[in-house]
Amino acid sequence: VQKKVKLQKVLDYRHMMLEREKAKLGELMHQEQLMTGEIQKMTALITDKFSEMSESQQAGDFSFTEMYEKYLRKLAVERRQKQQELAEHRKLVHQQKGHTVDAFRKKSIMDKLEGKHKKAYSFFMDQQELKNIEDIVLTRKAAKVAKGEEDD
């Protein structure tokens, strides 16, 4: 009984750890999606500003060309920084996936141990029940022999 309680506590702990790792992974993946969305918005903004600059140059207005170029360089630098952050974040996501898989493996091992423990316990109880039945039969037979009755 004591082993069963300890096994159940370990199983509950493994389950809790698996859920915690899944939650962390979900949060990291959500952050990754947000970062990807920001990069896509920045790319769209760069494309729009570049087309505005091209239109103004085609119209013959070169007064804002330098300002557009500086702004586009600034946006490009920010986008590269965001892409580097995203690459680092993806490494964290990959690492967290490993932790989650490890937690899942540990939990499944404990589930298998619990199943084996239940099988061993039921086998033990079956043996005990057979011993008890055998003892009852032997006791009745001994009582009949003591009374002088014979059982054929």
Coordinates of all heavy atoms in Angstrom, one line a residue, residues 4-5 11 18 75 77 82 95 102 131 145 148 150 152:
K4 N 2.2 1.9 -3.4 CA 1.2 2.4 -4.3 C 1.0 3.9 -4.0 O 0.9 4.7 -5.0 CB -0.1 1.7 -4.0 CG -1.2 2.1 -5.0 CD -2.5 1.3 -4.8 CE -3.5 1.7 -5.8 NZ -4.8 1.0 -5.6
V5 N 1.0 4.4 -2.8 CA 0.9 5.8 -2.5 C 2.0 6.6 -3.1 O 1.9 7.6 -3.7 CB 0.8 6.0 -0.9 CG1 0.8 7.5 -0.6 CG2 -0.5 5.4 -0.4
L11 N 3.5 9.7 -10.0 CA 2.7 9.8 -11.2 C 2.0 11.2 -11.3 O 2.1 11.8 -12.3 CB 1.7 8.7 -11.2 CG 0.9 8.6 -12.5 CD1 1.8 8.3 -13.7 CD2 -0.2 7.5 -12.4
L18 N 4.5 17.6 -16.8 CA 4.1 17.5 -18.2 C 3.2 18.7 -18.6 O 3.4 19.4 -19.6 CB 3.5 16.2 -18.6 CG 3.0 16.1 -20.0 CD1 4.2 16.2 -21.0 CD2 2.3 14.8 -20.2
L75 N 14.4 51.0 -40.6 CA 13.4 49.9 -40.6 C 14.1 48.6 -40.9 O 13.8 47.5 -40.3 CB 12.3 50.2 -41.5 CG 11.2 51.2 -41.1 CD1 10.2 51.4 -42.2 CD2 10.6 50.8 -39.8
V77 N 17.2 47.8 -40.4 CA 18.1 47.4 -39.2 C 17.2 46.8 -38.1 O 17.5 45.8 -37.5 CB 18.9 48.6 -38.6 CG1 19.5 48.3 -37.3 CG2 19.9 49.0 -39.6
K82 N 14.9 42.1 -35.2 CA 13.8 41.2 -34.9 C 14.0 39.8 -35.4 O 13.6 38.9 -34.8 CB 12.5 41.8 -35.5 CG 12.1 43.1 -34.9 CD 11.1 42.9 -33.7 CE 10.6 44.2 -33.2 NZ 10.0 44.1 -31.9
Q95 N 14.3 24.0 -27.8 CA 14.8 23.4 -26.5 C 13.6 23.0 -25.6 O 13.6 22.0 -24.9 CB 15.6 24.5 -25.8 CG 16.3 24.0 -24.5 CD 17.1 25.1 -23.9 OE1 17.0 26.3 -24.2 NE2 18.0 24.7 -23.0
D102 N 10.6 15.1 -23.1 CA 11.3 14.4 -22.0 C 10.2 14.2 -20.9 O 10.2 13.1 -20.3 CB 12.5 15.2 -21.5 CG 13.3 14.4 -20.4 OD1 13.5 13.2 -20.6 OD2 13.7 15.0 -19.4
K131 N -4.7 -19.2 -1.8 CA -4.2 -19.8 -0.5 C -5.3 -19.8 0.5 O -5.4 -20.8 1.3 CB -3.0 -18.9 0.0 CG -1.7 -19.1 -0.8 CD -0.6 -18.3 -0.2 CE 0.7 -18.4 -1.0 NZ 1.7 -17.5 -0.4
V145 N -12.1 -35.2 9.1 CA -11.2 -36.4 9.5 C -11.2 -36.5 11.0 O -11.3 -37.6 11.6 CB -9.8 -36.2 9.0 CG1 -8.9 -37.3 9.6 CG2 -9.8 -36.3 7.5
G148 N -14.2 -38.2 12.2 CA -14.3 -39.5 11.8 C -15.0 -39.7 10.5 O -15.2 -40.9 10.0
E150 N -15.1 -39.5 6.5 CA -14.1 -39.5 5.4 C -14.7 -38.8 4.2 O -15.9 -39.1 3.9 CB -13.7 -40.9 5.0 CG -12.6 -41.4 6.0 CD -11.7 -42.4 5.3 OE1 -11.6 -42.4 4.1 OE2 -11.2 -43.1 6.1
D152 N -14.5 -38.6 0.2 CA -14.0 -39.3 -1.0 C -13.9 -38.4 -2.1 O -14.5 -37.7 -2.7 CB -14.8 -40.5 -1.3 CG -14.7 -41.6 -0.3 OD1 -13.6 -41.7 0.2 OD2 -15.7 -42.3 0.0

